[in-house]
Amino acid sequence: MARNMHQAFAGAAVVGETQHRRERFSLLLLNLEEYYFEQHTANHIQHKGSQNERKIRGSLKICSKSVIFEPDAISQPIIKIPLRDCIKIGKHGENGASRHFAKAISGGISLIFSQVYFIKEHNIVAPYKIERGTMEYVFELDVSGKVEDVVETLLQLHRASCLDKLGDQTAMITAILQSRLARTSFDKNRFQSVSEKLHMECKAEMVTPLVTNPGHVCITDTTLYFQPLNGYPKPMVQITLHDVRRIYKRRHGLMPLGLEVFCTEDDLCSDVYLKFYERQDRDDLYFYIATYLEHHVAERTAEGYTLQWQRGLLSNYQYLLHLNTLADRSCNDLSQYPVFPWVVSDYSSSELDLSNPGTFRDLSKPVGALNKERLERLLTRYQEMPEPKFMYGSHYSSPGYVLFYLVRIAPEYMLCLQNGRFDNADRMFNSIAETWKNCLDGATDFKELIPEFYGDDVSFLVNSLKLDLGKRQGGQMVDDVELPPWARSPEDFLQKSRDALESDYVSEHLHEWIDLVFGYKQKGRDAVGAHNVFHPLTYEGGVDLNSIEDPDEKVAMLTQILEFGQTPKQLFVTPHPRRITPKFKSLFQPSSYNASMADSPVSPGEESFEDLTEESRTLAWSNITRLQLHEQHKIHKEAVTGIAVSHSGSSVFTTSQDSTLKMFSKESKMLQRSISFSNMALSSCLLLPGDATVVSSSWDNNVYFYSIAFGRRQDTLMGHDDAVSKICWHDNRLYSASWDSTVKVWSGVPAEMPGSWRHQFDLLAELEHDVSVDTISLSAASTLLVSGTKEGTVTIWDLTAATILHQIPCHSGTVCDTAFSPDSRHVLSAGEDGCLNVVDVQTGMLISSMTSDEPQRCFLWDGNSVLSGSQSGELLVWDLLGGKIRERIQGHTGAVTCMWMNEQCSRVITGGADRQIMFWKLQC
């Protein structure tokens, strides 16, 4: 389970007893976009010259838009004086500033102002108290020699706060900040070790929710450091590079300046989020860490996670977390907080029935389209709206919505966002059912959920801090969130919500919601068709801040965007694959394991054997790294191109570029026959059912049928205008691929008399390509065919209609081999570019890509693991779900050119460019 909200926000908030009791100050007491510069130990002098005169000991904090005094005594409130409300700032005793005092105070600073805030009196988190009217406060610094510098700083910041234009204020404060950063540098005495080597140093800000904290970043050969300019909340943040597991570039404030570092694989919250002032600094640091990680951690993409999710290795919750992370969502950025779907629509029943589809929300529609009547009103407005049009005036995720859900555990964030106030009690997060109803019926409420609804921390549902969140119109106080009748407790609510998220119904439909939020229905015509159009400013690239010259307009635009919320970065541009669930597992899957099995009739008495072999296959593939060479034989004069084995396993047939078909006896280890049909290379071979006929394809444009019993060529199919590269057979149909840019489908009905020579061939279909076809493969039921071309294109064909389902540019060179997974849900292709790519058959989406440093010429796979033959002669075992190469097995002295595996997956035969065939056994 991901770390919870408390840990995520620990860098900015100090709630209750989470830190030292006396430490009540937090950066959340600052305004948005405000910086904390420095602090000074001081006394606040009250009632000077009277019997009630007293000194309150504490810390004076100088910030870019305010002065904050934190008393040591927690019974006293924190004082916040906005600089824009100051009338006069000076040394106490100058210019009549001390007219209320009989004697000037050494080291005193006088502030005359019109408004002051009192915060966290008795350390209680509550709305700020405001006092208005002309007042003077005097603060006595312990180090009197610093008074002039502090007064000068305050006067400078006061001038910035009083500028008319917001853009000018921001520019002046930024200049002051940059000047301070330039006058300081990273303290290298903080290095963990004297032997560390400095790689780079630059200025940056550490980002936590609603807060950025400026300082210096330094990276060495072992450690990433961040040193805050103000030394808060601690003098140094450091991360050992060896602990880093993931890094992501981020948009921050719509600019490509962010970098987020994780030291865990699955946590929602990162270990540090940095925002840089220069994109080049961000990119240089990213490159350095990424280069370091290349040798330690496999890089993850959305597609890689998709395959893991489809195959059940990732839960729905984990997959959504990963997609959010990849789409720039971060719990350190409330304008881009991770978004999760409402999945349950029943909040009134006493029992939650997860077997009833009516229990669930329609995941194919955005929240705004769930209520038909409301949608019709919105569409009418949309039609009448001038460009740029949008359907929804608010977003499904924004800082306000996030804190609406989390106010009970993050009250200081709500106070920060709303200028020291909680929301109206009747608009608070009071009830699950009420919130859902408002999302269905409200004119401007289209919000989705956040990950906490599917986590295991109930804090956000319970008012454990005993906050005074106000009184509702009915008179009841806002306290714990009201749960639906089917939830016995907050813990039970979260457990049942998790059960719903992982239910079969949601697993079968989650891809539809992903299409809306992260996928192809996020933008453009498909978004309009799905009623999923939000304000243009919410989309990545919706506005170019660099093109806005007016600083006021730029600041206003950025503020509007950040408060409104942002649409996630688009991760998918084609329909997202559905998850493989029991209901859809047999979508394309027959009872048999592969095409060769489908060719062989299975009697009813063998069904139990089928279940047994399925188990043995799974066991075999789990131990595939234990493959050991048993024997090897050099039987050809050129590279071996094809392998076929009789049902009994006793006879092995091979083809070669030396133009021969050879029959090798496994038992006697002797070559029994050598047949040549022409002087051109043979490219592949297969055995027809019954083991009586071997079929070979040739570079002379022909396909040859050889009768084993009669020892002679039985037939010749002259069907192509260029070399035949690969052949397949199923149910009396021959499929031939050729360099003439076609794949042809033939009916191959054999002659009635066993001794007859010829087949009757009829051309049933011609599948045309733009360039030469190098490889083909059939799905288990032979209703689909996949082809790979010399230009790297993989095409999936529907053989029942002879039409293209998907055409995917997968490789930068020739496709060497392709094959369907046993369940026909995925296609794997290997190319000259060294890549292994997995494509989802239903959607045509590339969902996984792994790279090796050399071409993989051929392979076998079970849907999860791959055994491939490389250009160098090694056999490689790949873990597709784990995204890594598990084993390298020494094999041929030249490229591995073809492979065969028995049905139980316990024996393998490989052929190579070294003219050898090798027999391998699994050592379990």
Side-chain angles (χ1 to χ4, degrees), residues 754-794:
S756 301
W757 278 48
R758 306 191 67 81
H759 281 68
Q760 176 66 41
F761 290 109
D762 292 317
L763 182 62
L764 301 178
E766 186 169 323
L767 313 179
E768 295 187 355
H769 298 68
D770 295 331
V771 293
S772 65
V773 184
D774 282 73
T775 183
I776 55 171
S777 182
L778 291 170
S779 66
S782 296
T783 54
L784 303 174
L785 178 142
V786 59
S787 59
T789 70
K790 78 169 185 179
E791 290 187 352
T793 301
V794 170

Side-chain angles (χ1 to χ4, degrees), residues 703-731:
V703 178
Y704 296 100
F705 291 74
Y706 175 80
S707 169
I708 300 169
F710 293 93
R712 63 193 180 200
R713 183 170 63 186
Q714 182 176 322
D715 213 338
T716 303
L717 173 63
M718 295 178 283
H720 287 278
D721 299 323
D722 206 336
V724 182
S725 53
K726 186 78 181 285
I727 51 174
C728 298
W729 179 277
H730 176 75
D731 196 18

